[in-house]
Amino acid sequence: MKVTPVERLFILFDETANILQEELDCTYLEALAESGENLFHNDILQDSLSEVTRKRLKRKYSDFIIASYAPEDIRKAFQLSILKGMKGHIQPNHQMTPDTIGFIISYFADKFLGAKTDLSVLDPAVGTGNLLSTIINRQGNAGQIRAFGVEVDDLLIELAYIGANLQKQQTEFFHQDALEPLFIDPVDLVVCDLPVGYYPNDIQAKQYELNASEGHAYAHHLFIEQSINHTKPGGYLFFLIPNGLFESDEATKLHTYLKQTVYIQGVLQLPLSLFKDENTGKSILILQKKKPGIEAPKEVLLATLPKLSNKEALDKMMLGMEKWFKENK
Ligand code: SAM
């Protein structure tokens, strides 16, 4: 049976991570990060390894010239390995953004931004980097994308950094709380699978208009405000939001803030089959930052995306969307 490049890469990541995990007595994900570093530097960087393990690893790596693999194949294989390492060990808010959602956001980002030769993109909750890498790989002009990722978790940002290196992406990573000041110039495009919940730092939350009237603020609201602040006038923002975003106790404030700063372009509800149950369902919120000369769309693009396997419903919806783009863009 023919083995695909993604399978070959996954086997390599997986086998080498297993060897390193055993010898370094660490988690699978930490070992995966170590293996990714080895591959990128074409060397074995862990000094404490026994000679036998070193030889075993060398044999595994020796057949691979990582630069000869397509970035998208590397992303998929690395993603599969991360998923394996995350199984049962990761809280829902830290989960990687699934490919289907990345592809949908990428499709709409292309539609809204058009053919741009020079694009800057920020993911302020970059996690493993899977969503950001998907966007970069699917933009035809990946070489001219300046990308920025922010993440508070040290292991996730390490994986994101290694993944980006292996895929030859020029992404700058910032290991920090994204709701503290960011030293990143405004970008053309923000993508973010929002971490949903309370933000514990009440002092920092005071810097935001969307701070809660009492108690802790919602981190996801502050992320939206921070992202808008870091977007160029006329730039776009794509957020993965919980379906109930506009129904919470702070929703009126959020709505007023959005009305002042952006045009809501669309709200696309994702098929519920992508989520565990109705309560965890999500939508894609599409915003454009206000700029003199730019007008609001005549109507907001509202749609519930059908199951992607339902070709007939999908085609029908695409037609509706093309019509919306003709009339509003
Ligand atoms: N798109 C990511 C991916 O493909 O892996 C997944 C994003 S995950 C849903 C949300 C991320 O936000 C988590 O990795 C979490 O650690 C991060 N996060 C939560 N609060 C944060 C904060 N205040 N600053 C920076 N990152 C934060």
Side-chain angles (χ1 to χ4, degrees), residues 93-97 123-131 151-153 156 176-178 193 195 199 223:
N93 243 342
H94 287 199
Q95 257 159 22
M96 181 191 284
T97 312
D123 184 342
V126 75
T128 63
N130 195 49
L131 172 62
E151 173 58 51
V152 75
D153 184 290
L156 293 181
Q176 65 163 95
D177 174 353
D193 181 351
Y199 181 54
F223 261 89

mmCIF file with all atom_site columns, all heavy atoms in Angstrom, residues 93-97 123-131 151-153 156 176-178 193 195 199 223, ligand 1:
data_model
loop_
_atom_site.group_PDB
_atom_site.id
_atom_site.type_symbol
_atom_site.label_atom_id
_atom_site.label_alt_id
_atom_site.label_comp_id
_atom_site.label_asym_id
_atom_site.label_entity_id
_atom_site.label_seq_id
_atom_site.pdbx_PDB_ins_code
_atom_site.Cartn_x
_atom_site.Cartn_y
_atom_site.Cartn_z
_atom_site.occupancy
_atom_site.B_iso_or_equiv
_atom_site.pdbx_formal_charge
_atom_site.auth_seq_id
_atom_site.auth_comp_id
_atom_site.auth_asym_id
_atom_site.auth_atom_id
_atom_site.pdbx_PDB_model_num
ATOM   1   N N   . ASN A 1 93  ? -10.850 24.756 26.331 1.00 0.00 ? 93  ASN A N   1
ATOM   2   C CA  . ASN A 1 93  ? -10.460 26.089 25.871 1.00 0.00 ? 93  ASN A CA  1
ATOM   3   C C   . ASN A 1 93  ? -9.097  26.146 25.199 1.00 0.00 ? 93  ASN A C   1
ATOM   4   O O   . ASN A 1 93  ? -8.722  27.140 24.607 1.00 0.00 ? 93  ASN A O   1
ATOM   5   C CB  . ASN A 1 93  ? -10.453 27.045 27.067 1.00 0.00 ? 93  ASN A CB  1
ATOM   6   C CG  . ASN A 1 93  ? -11.472 28.130 26.878 1.00 0.00 ? 93  ASN A CG  1
ATOM   7   O OD1 . ASN A 1 93  ? -11.929 28.375 25.774 1.00 0.00 ? 93  ASN A OD1 1
ATOM   8   N ND2 . ASN A 1 93  ? -11.830 28.774 27.962 1.00 0.00 ? 93  ASN A ND2 1
ATOM   9   N N   . HIS A 1 94  ? -8.308  25.068 25.353 1.00 0.00 ? 94  HIS A N   1
ATOM   10  C CA  . HIS A 1 94  ? -6.966  25.051 24.760 1.00 0.00 ? 94  HIS A CA  1
ATOM   11  C C   . HIS A 1 94  ? -6.929  24.193 23.509 1.00 0.00 ? 94  HIS A C   1
ATOM   12  O O   . HIS A 1 94  ? -5.872  23.973 22.929 1.00 0.00 ? 94  HIS A O   1
ATOM   13  C CB  . HIS A 1 94  ? -5.944  24.503 25.769 1.00 0.00 ? 94  HIS A CB  1
ATOM   14  C CG  . HIS A 1 94  ? -5.654  25.469 26.870 1.00 0.00 ? 94  HIS A CG  1
ATOM   15  N ND1 . HIS A 1 94  ? -4.546  25.377 27.654 1.00 0.00 ? 94  HIS A ND1 1
ATOM   16  C CD2 . HIS A 1 94  ? -6.333  26.548 27.292 1.00 0.00 ? 94  HIS A CD2 1
ATOM   17  C CE1 . HIS A 1 94  ? -4.561  26.368 28.542 1.00 0.00 ? 94  HIS A CE1 1
ATOM   18  N NE2 . HIS A 1 94  ? -5.638  27.078 28.335 1.00 0.00 ? 94  HIS A NE2 1
ATOM   19  N N   . GLN A 1 95  ? -8.104  23.682 23.118 1.00 0.00 ? 95  GLN A N   1
ATOM   20  C CA  . GLN A 1 95  ? -8.099  22.736 22.008 1.00 0.00 ? 95  GLN A CA  1
ATOM   21  C C   . GLN A 1 95  ? -7.725  23.390 20.692 1.00 0.00 ? 95  GLN A C   1
ATOM   22  O O   . GLN A 1 95  ? -8.029  24.564 20.458 1.00 0.00 ? 95  GLN A O   1
ATOM   23  C CB  . GLN A 1 95  ? -9.463  22.082 21.891 1.00 0.00 ? 95  GLN A CB  1
ATOM   24  C CG  . GLN A 1 95  ? -9.431  20.684 22.460 1.00 0.00 ? 95  GLN A CG  1
ATOM   25  C CD  . GLN A 1 95  ? -10.793 20.186 22.831 1.00 0.00 ? 95  GLN A CD  1
ATOM   26  O OE1 . GLN A 1 95  ? -11.792 20.668 22.322 1.00 0.00 ? 95  GLN A OE1 1
ATOM   27  N NE2 . GLN A 1 95  ? -10.832 19.237 23.732 1.00 0.00 ? 95  GLN A NE2 1
ATOM   28  N N   . MET A 1 96  ? -7.110  22.612 19.852 1.00 0.00 ? 96  MET A N   1
ATOM   29  C CA  . MET A 1 96  ? -6.690  23.083 18.534 1.00 0.00 ? 96  MET A CA  1
ATOM   30  C C   . MET A 1 96  ? -7.916  23.347 17.660 1.00 0.00 ? 96  MET A C   1
ATOM   31  O O   . MET A 1 96  ? -8.915  22.634 17.760 1.00 0.00 ? 96  MET A O   1
ATOM   32  C CB  . MET A 1 96  ? -5.864  21.936 17.940 1.00 0.00 ? 96  MET A CB  1
ATOM   33  C CG  . MET A 1 96  ? -5.306  22.192 16.602 1.00 0.00 ? 96  MET A CG  1
ATOM   34  S SD  . MET A 1 96  ? -4.661  20.644 15.957 1.00 0.00 ? 96  MET A SD  1
ATOM   35  C CE  . MET A 1 96  ? -3.193  20.481 16.850 1.00 0.00 ? 96  MET A CE  1
ATOM   36  N N   . THR A 1 97  ? -7.826  24.367 16.809 1.00 0.00 ? 97  THR A N   1
ATOM   37  C CA  . THR A 1 97  ? -8.947  24.645 15.903 1.00 0.00 ? 97  THR A CA  1
ATOM   38  C C   . THR A 1 97  ? -8.967  23.594 14.799 1.00 0.00 ? 97  THR A C   1
ATOM   39  O O   . THR A 1 97  ? -7.964  23.421 14.099 1.00 0.00 ? 97  THR A O   1
ATOM   40  C CB  . THR A 1 97  ? -8.791  26.044 15.269 1.00 0.00 ? 97  THR A CB  1
ATOM   41  O OG1 . THR A 1 97  ? -8.490  26.961 16.312 1.00 0.00 ? 97  THR A OG1 1
ATOM   42  C CG2 . THR A 1 97  ? -10.035 26.468 14.521 1.00 0.00 ? 97  THR A CG2 1
ATOM   43  N N   . ASP A 1 123 ? -2.971  36.254 15.030 1.00 0.00 ? 123 ASP A N   1
ATOM   44  C CA  . ASP A 1 123 ? -3.840  35.410 15.848 1.00 0.00 ? 123 ASP A CA  1
ATOM   45  C C   . ASP A 1 123 ? -3.443  35.651 17.304 1.00 0.00 ? 123 ASP A C   1
ATOM   46  O O   . ASP A 1 123 ? -2.366  35.210 17.737 1.00 0.00 ? 123 ASP A O   1
ATOM   47  C CB  . ASP A 1 123 ? -3.680  33.923 15.468 1.00 0.00 ? 123 ASP A CB  1
ATOM   48  C CG  . ASP A 1 123 ? -4.653  33.046 16.255 1.00 0.00 ? 123 ASP A CG  1
ATOM   49  O OD1 . ASP A 1 123 ? -5.181  33.505 17.285 1.00 0.00 ? 123 ASP A OD1 1
ATOM   50  O OD2 . ASP A 1 123 ? -4.878  31.891 15.836 1.00 0.00 ? 123 ASP A OD2 1
ATOM   51  N N   . PRO A 1 124 ? -4.275  36.382 18.064 1.00 0.00 ? 124 PRO A N   1
ATOM   52  C CA  . PRO A 1 124 ? -3.881  36.720 19.441 1.00 0.00 ? 124 PRO A CA  1
ATOM   53  C C   . PRO A 1 124 ? -4.039  35.565 20.440 1.00 0.00 ? 124 PRO A C   1
ATOM   54  O O   . PRO A 1 124 ? -3.660  35.719 21.599 1.00 0.00 ? 124 PRO A O   1
ATOM   55  C CB  . PRO A 1 124 ? -4.829  37.874 19.785 1.00 0.00 ? 124 PRO A CB  1
ATOM   56  C CG  . PRO A 1 124 ? -6.030  37.663 18.934 1.00 0.00 ? 124 PRO A CG  1
ATOM   57  C CD  . PRO A 1 124 ? -5.566  36.980 17.689 1.00 0.00 ? 124 PRO A CD  1
ATOM   58  N N   . ALA A 1 125 ? -4.620  34.430 20.012 1.00 0.00 ? 125 ALA A N   1
ATOM   59  C CA  . ALA A 1 125 ? -4.713  33.246 20.894 1.00 0.00 ? 125 ALA A CA  1
ATOM   60  C C   . ALA A 1 125 ? -4.281  32.060 20.040 1.00 0.00 ? 125 ALA A C   1
ATOM   61  O O   . ALA A 1 125 ? -5.067  31.170 19.739 1.00 0.00 ? 125 ALA A O   1
ATOM   62  C CB  . ALA A 1 125 ? -6.133  33.074 21.409 1.00 0.00 ? 125 ALA A CB  1
ATOM   63  N N   . VAL A 1 126 ? -3.001  32.064 19.662 1.00 0.00 ? 126 VAL A N   1
ATOM   64  C CA  . VAL A 1 126 ? -2.540  31.215 18.548 1.00 0.00 ? 126 VAL A CA  1
ATOM   65  C C   . VAL A 1 126 ? -2.486  29.729 18.893 1.00 0.00 ? 126 VAL A C   1
ATOM   66  O O   . VAL A 1 126 ? -2.507  28.875 18.003 1.00 0.00 ? 126 VAL A O   1
ATOM   67  C CB  . VAL A 1 126 ? -1.191  31.741 18.002 1.00 0.00 ? 126 VAL A CB  1
ATOM   68  C CG1 . VAL A 1 126 ? -0.038  31.404 18.927 1.00 0.00 ? 126 VAL A CG1 1
ATOM   69  C CG2 . VAL A 1 126 ? -0.917  31.254 16.599 1.00 0.00 ? 126 VAL A CG2 1
ATOM   70  N N   . GLY A 1 127 ? -2.443  29.397 20.188 1.00 0.00 ? 127 GLY A N   1
ATOM   71  C CA  . GLY A 1 127 ? -2.447  27.980 20.587 1.00 0.00 ? 127 GLY A CA  1
ATOM   72  C C   . GLY A 1 127 ? -1.324  27.212 19.904 1.00 0.00 ? 127 GLY A C   1
ATOM   73  O O   . GLY A 1 127 ? -0.151  27.616 19.933 1.00 0.00 ? 127 GLY A O   1
ATOM   74  N N   . THR A 1 128 ? -1.667  26.111 19.255 1.00 0.00 ? 128 THR A N   1
ATOM   75  C CA  . THR A 1 128 ? -0.678  25.285 18.559 1.00 0.00 ? 128 THR A CA  1
ATOM   76  C C   . THR A 1 128 ? -0.291  25.873 17.203 1.00 0.00 ? 128 THR A C   1
ATOM   77  O O   . THR A 1 128 ? 0.542   25.311 16.495 1.00 0.00 ? 128 THR A O   1
ATOM   78  C CB  . THR A 1 128 ? -1.270  23.904 18.251 1.00 0.00 ? 128 THR A CB  1
ATOM   79  O OG1 . THR A 1 128 ? -2.387  24.104 17.350 1.00 0.00 ? 128 THR A OG1 1
ATOM   80  C CG2 . THR A 1 128 ? -1.766  23.205 19.480 1.00 0.00 ? 128 THR A CG2 1
ATOM   81  N N   . GLY A 1 129 ? -0.977  26.946 16.791 1.00 0.00 ? 129 GLY A N   1
ATOM   82  C CA  . GLY A 1 129 ? -0.677  27.569 15.504 1.00 0.00 ? 129 GLY A CA  1
ATOM   83  C C   . GLY A 1 129 ? -1.438  26.950 14.348 1.00 0.00 ? 129 GLY A C   1
ATOM   84  O O   . GLY A 1 129 ? -1.284  27.378 13.197 1.00 0.00 ? 129 GLY A O   1
ATOM   85  N N   . ASN A 1 130 ? -2.288  25.940 14.646 1.00 0.00 ? 130 ASN A N   1
ATOM   86  C CA  . ASN A 1 130 ? -2.929  25.235 13.533 1.00 0.00 ? 130 ASN A CA  1
ATOM   87  C C   . ASN A 1 130 ? -3.829  26.150 12.692 1.00 0.00 ? 130 ASN A C   1
ATOM   88  O O   . ASN A 1 130 ? -3.744  26.141 11.459 1.00 0.00 ? 130 ASN A O   1
ATOM   89  C CB  . ASN A 1 130 ? -3.733  24.039 14.045 1.00 0.00 ? 130 ASN A CB  1
ATOM   90  C CG  . ASN A 1 130 ? -4.105  23.098 12.926 1.00 0.00 ? 130 ASN A CG  1
ATOM   91  O OD1 . ASN A 1 130 ? -3.249  22.714 12.120 1.00 0.00 ? 130 ASN A OD1 1
ATOM   92  N ND2 . ASN A 1 130 ? -5.376  22.748 12.820 1.00 0.00 ? 130 ASN A ND2 1
ATOM   93  N N   . LEU A 1 131 ? -4.638  26.971 13.339 1.00 0.00 ? 131 LEU A N   1
ATOM   94  C CA  . LEU A 1 131 ? -5.518  27.867 12.578 1.00 0.00 ? 131 LEU A CA  1
ATOM   95  C C   . LEU A 1 131 ? -4.684  28.861 11.762 1.00 0.00 ? 131 LEU A C   1
ATOM   96  O O   . LEU A 1 131 ? -4.908  29.026 10.550 1.00 0.00 ? 131 LEU A O   1
ATOM   97  C CB  . LEU A 1 131 ? -6.463  28.619 13.536 1.00 0.00 ? 131 LEU A CB  1
ATOM   98  C CG  . LEU A 1 131 ? -7.295  29.728 12.901 1.00 0.00 ? 131 LEU A CG  1
ATOM   99  C CD1 . LEU A 1 131 ? -8.239  29.182 11.832 1.00 0.00 ? 131 LEU A CD1 1
ATOM   100 C CD2 . LEU A 1 131 ? -8.115  30.475 13.964 1.00 0.00 ? 131 LEU A CD2 1
ATOM   101 N N   . GLU A 1 151 ? 0.455   33.843 22.539 1.00 0.00 ? 151 GLU A N   1
ATOM   102 C CA  . GLU A 1 151 ? -0.067  32.707 23.308 1.00 0.00 ? 151 GLU A CA  1
ATOM   103 C C   . GLU A 1 151 ? 0.540   32.739 24.701 1.00 0.00 ? 151 GLU A C   1
ATOM   104 O O   . GLU A 1 151 ? 1.727   33.012 24.856 1.00 0.00 ? 151 GLU A O   1
ATOM   105 C CB  . GLU A 1 151 ? 0.272   31.390 22.581 1.00 0.00 ? 151 GLU A CB  1
ATOM   106 C CG  . GLU A 1 151 ? -0.041  30.119 23.324 1.00 0.00 ? 151 GLU A CG  1
ATOM   107 C CD  . GLU A 1 151 ? -1.501  29.950 23.735 1.00 0.00 ? 151 GLU A CD  1
ATOM   108 O OE1 . GLU A 1 151 ? -2.406  30.099 22.906 1.00 0.00 ? 151 GLU A OE1 1
ATOM   109 O OE2 . GLU A 1 151 ? -1.723  29.672 24.933 1.00 0.00 ? 151 GLU A OE2 1
ATOM   110 N N   . VAL A 1 152 ? -0.293  32.424 25.693 1.00 0.00 ? 152 VAL A N   1
ATOM   111 C CA  . VAL A 1 152 ? 0.170   32.491 27.075 1.00 0.00 ? 152 VAL A CA  1
ATOM   112 C C   . VAL A 1 152 ? 0.772   31.155 27.533 1.00 0.00 ? 152 VAL A C   1
ATOM   113 O O   . VAL A 1 152 ? 1.619   31.120 28.419 1.00 0.00 ? 152 VAL A O   1
ATOM   114 C CB  . VAL A 1 152 ? -1.010  32.958 27.980 1.00 0.00 ? 152 VAL A CB  1
ATOM   115 C CG1 . VAL A 1 152 ? -2.017  31.857 28.214 1.00 0.00 ? 152 VAL A CG1 1
ATOM   116 C CG2 . VAL A 1 152 ? -0.533  33.562 29.268 1.00 0.00 ? 152 VAL A CG2 1
ATOM   117 N N   . ASP A 1 153 ? 0.370   30.057 26.916 1.00 0.00 ? 153 ASP A N   1
ATOM   118 C CA  . ASP A 1 153 ? 0.824   28.721 27.355 1.00 0.00 ? 153 ASP A CA  1
ATOM   119 C C   . ASP A 1 153 ? 2.177   28.391 26.717 1.00 0.00 ? 153 ASP A C   1
ATOM   120 O O   . ASP A 1 153 ? 2.317   28.437 25.487 1.00 0.00 ? 153 ASP A O   1
ATOM   121 C CB  . ASP A 1 153 ? -0.242  27.687 26.929 1.00 0.00 ? 153 ASP A CB  1
ATOM   122 C CG  . ASP A 1 153 ? 0.090   26.298 27.409 1.00 0.00 ? 153 ASP A CG  1
ATOM   123 O OD1 . ASP A 1 153 ? 1.061   25.688 26.900 1.00 0.00 ? 153 ASP A OD1 1
ATOM   124 O OD2 . ASP A 1 153 ? -0.631  25.816 28.293 1.00 0.00 ? 153 ASP A OD2 1
ATOM   125 N N   . LEU A 1 156 ? 2.270   25.212 24.236 1.00 0.00 ? 156 LEU A N   1
ATOM   126 C CA  . LEU A 1 156 ? 1.528   25.434 22.984 1.00 0.00 ? 156 LEU A CA  1
ATOM   127 C C   . LEU A 1 156 ? 2.304   26.378 22.062 1.00 0.00 ? 156 LEU A C   1
ATOM   128 O O   . LEU A 1 156 ? 2.411   26.136 20.858 1.00 0.00 ? 156 LEU A O   1
ATOM   129 C CB  . LEU A 1 156 ? 0.126   25.978 23.267 1.00 0.00 ? 156 LEU A CB  1
ATOM   130 C CG  . LEU A 1 156 ? -0.833  25.016 23.979 1.00 0.00 ? 156 LEU A CG  1
ATOM   131 C CD1 . LEU A 1 156 ? -2.196  25.637 24.184 1.00 0.00 ? 156 LEU A CD1 1
ATOM   132 C CD2 . LEU A 1 156 ? -0.972  23.707 23.207 1.00 0.00 ? 156 LEU A CD2 1
ATOM   133 N N   . GLN A 1 176 ? 3.025   35.664 25.820 1.00 0.00 ? 176 GLN A N   1
ATOM   134 C CA  . GLN A 1 176 ? 2.520   36.589 26.840 1.00 0.00 ? 176 GLN A CA  1
ATOM   135 C C   . GLN A 1 176 ? 1.000   36.498 26.924 1.00 0.00 ? 176 GLN A C   1
ATOM   136 O O   . GLN A 1 176 ? 0.362   35.857 26.084 1.00 0.00 ? 176 GLN A O   1
ATOM   137 C CB  . GLN A 1 176 ? 2.928   38.025 26.470 1.00 0.00 ? 176 GLN A CB  1
ATOM   138 C CG  . GLN A 1 176 ? 2.279   38.534 25.176 1.00 0.00 ? 176 GLN A CG  1
ATOM   139 C CD  . GLN A 1 176 ? 2.346   40.055 25.021 1.00 0.00 ? 176 GLN A CD  1
ATOM   140 O OE1 . GLN A 1 176 ? 3.257   40.544 24.387 1.00 0.00 ? 176 GLN A OE1 1
ATOM   141 N NE2 . GLN A 1 176 ? 1.388   40.770 25.595 1.00 0.00 ? 176 GLN A NE2 1
ATOM   142 N N   . ASP A 1 177 ? 0.442   37.186 27.901 1.00 0.00 ? 177 ASP A N   1
ATOM   143 C CA  . ASP A 1 177 ? -1.000  37.379 28.000 1.00 0.00 ? 177 ASP A CA  1
ATOM   144 C C   . ASP A 1 177 ? -1.371  38.379 26.902 1.00 0.00 ? 177 ASP A C   1
ATOM   145 O O   . ASP A 1 177 ? -0.893  39.520 26.907 1.00 0.00 ? 177 ASP A O   1
ATOM   146 C CB  . ASP A 1 177 ? -1.299  37.930 29.411 1.00 0.00 ? 177 ASP A CB  1
ATOM   147 C CG  . ASP A 1 177 ? -2.752  38.312 29.591 1.00 0.00 ? 177 ASP A CG  1
ATOM   148 O OD1 . ASP A 1 177 ? -3.511  38.283 28.613 1.00 0.00 ? 177 ASP A OD1 1
ATOM   149 O OD2 . ASP A 1 177 ? -3.120  38.654 30.734 1.00 0.00 ? 177 ASP A OD2 1
ATOM   150 N N   . ALA A 1 178 ? -2.217  37.976 25.992 1.00 0.00 ? 178 ALA A N   1
ATOM   151 C CA  . ALA A 1 178 ? -2.551  38.829 24.838 1.00 0.00 ? 178 ALA A CA  1
ATOM   152 C C   . ALA A 1 178 ? -3.384  40.043 25.236 1.00 0.00 ? 178 ALA A C   1
ATOM   153 O O   . ALA A 1 178 ? -3.569  40.954 24.427 1.00 0.00 ? 178 ALA A O   1
ATOM   154 C CB  . ALA A 1 178 ? -3.309  38.014 23.799 1.00 0.00 ? 178 ALA A CB  1
ATOM   155 N N   . ASP A 1 193 ? -9.687  31.899 17.298 1.00 0.00 ? 193 ASP A N   1
ATOM   156 C CA  . ASP A 1 193 ? -10.613 30.960 17.936 1.00 0.00 ? 193 ASP A CA  1
ATOM   157 C C   . ASP A 1 193 ? -10.596 31.393 19.402 1.00 0.00 ? 193 ASP A C   1
ATOM   158 O O   . ASP A 1 193 ? -9.677  31.066 20.153 1.00 0.00 ? 193 ASP A O   1
ATOM   159 C CB  . ASP A 1 193 ? -10.042 29.535 17.738 1.00 0.00 ? 193 ASP A CB  1
ATOM   160 C CG  . ASP A 1 193 ? -10.917 28.460 18.339 1.00 0.00 ? 193 ASP A CG  1
ATOM   161 O OD1 . ASP A 1 193 ? -11.863 28.800 19.058 1.00 0.00 ? 193 ASP A OD1 1
ATOM   162 O OD2 . ASP A 1 193 ? -10.622 27.283 18.082 1.00 0.00 ? 193 ASP A OD2 1
ATOM   163 N N   . PRO A 1 195 ? -10.647 32.222 23.239 1.00 0.00 ? 195 PRO A N   1
ATOM   164 C CA  . PRO A 1 195 ? -10.763 31.496 24.508 1.00 0.00 ? 195 PRO A CA  1
ATOM   165 C C   . PRO A 1 195 ? -11.969 32.074 25.246 1.00 0.00 ? 195 PRO A C   1
ATOM   166 O O   . PRO A 1 195 ? -12.067 33.288 25.423 1.00 0.00 ? 195 PRO A O   1
ATOM   167 C CB  . PRO A 1 195 ? -9.452  31.814 25.233 1.00 0.00 ? 195 PRO A CB  1
ATOM   168 C CG  . PRO A 1 195 ? -8.899  33.029 24.592 1.00 0.00 ? 195 PRO A CG  1
ATOM   169 C CD  . PRO A 1 195 ? -9.531  33.184 23.234 1.00 0.00 ? 195 PRO A CD  1
ATOM   170 N N   . TYR A 1 199 ? -11.837 36.508 32.575 1.00 0.00 ? 199 TYR A N   1
ATOM   171 C CA  . TYR A 1 199 ? -10.445 36.950 32.607 1.00 0.00 ? 199 TYR A CA  1
ATOM   172 C C   . TYR A 1 199 ? -10.118 37.295 34.061 1.00 0.00 ? 199 TYR A C   1
ATOM   173 O O   . TYR A 1 199 ? -10.752 38.186 34.643 1.00 0.00 ? 199 TYR A O   1
ATOM   174 C CB  . TYR A 1 199 ? -10.297 38.176 31.702 1.00 0.00 ? 199 TYR A CB  1
ATOM   175 C CG  . TYR A 1 199 ? -8.894  38.721 31.620 1.00 0.00 ? 199 TYR A CG  1
ATOM   176 C CD1 . TYR A 1 199 ? -7.817  37.908 31.269 1.00 0.00 ? 199 TYR A CD1 1
ATOM   177 C CD2 . TYR A 1 199 ? -8.644  40.078 31.868 1.00 0.00 ? 199 TYR A CD2 1
ATOM   178 C CE1 . TYR A 1 199 ? -6.531  38.414 31.180 1.00 0.00 ? 199 TYR A CE1 1
ATOM   179 C CE2 . TYR A 1 199 ? -7.357  40.595 31.770 1.00 0.00 ? 199 TYR A CE2 1
ATOM   180 C CZ  . TYR A 1 199 ? -6.311  39.759 31.434 1.00 0.00 ? 199 TYR A CZ  1
ATOM   181 O OH  . TYR A 1 199 ? -5.037  40.268 31.345 1.00 0.00 ? 199 TYR A OH  1
ATOM   182 N N   . PHE A 1 223 ? -10.788 40.078 24.248 1.00 0.00 ? 223 PHE A N   1
ATOM   183 C CA  . PHE A 1 223 ? -10.022 39.651 23.061 1.00 0.00 ? 223 PHE A CA  1
ATOM   184 C C   . PHE A 1 223 ? -10.536 40.352 21.797 1.00 0.00 ? 223 PHE A C   1
ATOM   185 O O   . PHE A 1 223 ? -9.762  40.731 20.928 1.00 0.00 ? 223 PHE A O   1
ATOM   186 C CB  . PHE A 1 223 ? -10.108 38.129 22.877 1.00 0.00 ? 223 PHE A CB  1
ATOM   187 C CG  . PHE A 1 223 ? -8.897  37.410 23.412 1.00 0.00 ? 223 PHE A CG  1
ATOM   188 C CD1 . PHE A 1 223 ? -8.852  36.987 24.727 1.00 0.00 ? 223 PHE A CD1 1
ATOM   189 C CD2 . PHE A 1 223 ? -7.789  37.175 22.611 1.00 0.00 ? 223 PHE A CD2 1
ATOM   190 C CE1 . PHE A 1 223 ? -7.747  36.342 25.235 1.00 0.00 ? 223 PHE A CE1 1
ATOM   191 C CE2 . PHE A 1 223 ? -6.671  36.532 23.099 1.00 0.00 ? 223 PHE A CE2 1
ATOM   192 C CZ  . PHE A 1 223 ? -6.644  36.110 24.429 1.00 0.00 ? 223 PHE A CZ  1
HETATM 193 N N1  . SAM B 2 .   ? -6.392  28.431 17.150 1.00 0.00 ? 1   SAM B N1  1
HETATM 194 C C1  . SAM B 2 .   ? -5.667  27.658 18.119 1.00 0.00 ? 1   SAM B C1  1
HETATM 195 C C2  . SAM B 2 .   ? -5.071  26.407 17.456 1.00 0.00 ? 1   SAM B C2  1
HETATM 196 O O1  . SAM B 2 .   ? -5.337  26.168 16.266 1.00 0.00 ? 1   SAM B O1  1
HETATM 197 O O2  . SAM B 2 .   ? -4.362  25.666 18.155 1.00 0.00 ? 1   SAM B O2  1
HETATM 198 C C3  . SAM B 2 .   ? -6.529  27.250 19.279 1.00 0.00 ? 1   SAM B C3  1
HETATM 199 C C4  . SAM B 2 .   ? -6.905  28.393 20.161 1.00 0.00 ? 1   SAM B C4  1
HETATM 200 S S1  . SAM B 2 .   ? -7.586  27.850 21.687 1.00 0.00 ? 1   SAM B S1  1
HETATM 201 C C5  . SAM B 2 .   ? -9.265  27.700 21.370 1.00 0.00 ? 1   SAM B C5  1
HETATM 202 C C6  . SAM B 2 .   ? -7.465  29.326 22.633 1.00 0.00 ? 1   SAM B C6  1
HETATM 203 C C7  . SAM B 2 .   ? -6.066  29.645 23.102 1.00 0.00 ? 1   SAM B C7  1
HETATM 204 O O3  . SAM B 2 .   ? -6.067  30.874 23.815 1.00 0.00 ? 1   SAM B O3  1
HETATM 205 C C8  . SAM B 2 .   ? -5.478  28.615 24.043 1.00 0.00 ? 1   SAM B C8  1
HETATM 206 O O4  . SAM B 2 .   ? -4.301  28.096 23.460 1.00 0.00 ? 1   SAM B O4  1
HETATM 207 C C9  . SAM B 2 .   ? -5.133  29.398 25.324 1.00 0.00 ? 1   SAM B C9  1
HETATM 208 O O5  . SAM B 2 .   ? -3.947  28.983 25.948 1.00 0.00 ? 1   SAM B O5  1
HETATM 209 C C10 . SAM B 2 .   ? -5.022  30.814 24.774 1.00 0.00 ? 1   SAM B C10 1
HETATM 210 N N2  . SAM B 2 .   ? -5.251  31.880 25.742 1.00 0.00 ? 1   SAM B N2  1
HETATM 211 C C11 . SAM B 2 .   ? -6.204  31.941 26.697 1.00 0.00 ? 1   SAM B C11 1
HETATM 212 N N3  . SAM B 2 .   ? -6.101  33.099 27.369 1.00 0.00 ? 1   SAM B N3  1
HETATM 213 C C12 . SAM B 2 .   ? -5.071  33.789 26.832 1.00 0.00 ? 1   SAM B C12 1
HETATM 214 C C13 . SAM B 2 .   ? -4.487  35.049 27.078 1.00 0.00 ? 1   SAM B C13 1
HETATM 215 N N4  . SAM B 2 .   ? -4.960  35.854 28.030 1.00 0.00 ? 1   SAM B N4  1
HETATM 216 N N5  . SAM B 2 .   ? -3.447  35.460 26.313 1.00 0.00 ? 1   SAM B N5  1
HETATM 217 C C14 . SAM B 2 .   ? -2.956  34.653 25.329 1.00 0.00 ? 1   SAM B C14 1
HETATM 218 N N6  . SAM B 2 .   ? -3.477  33.438 25.043 1.00 0.00 ? 1   SAM B N6  1
HETATM 219 C C15 . SAM B 2 .   ? -4.515  33.010 25.782 1.00 0.00 ? 1   SAM B C15 1
#
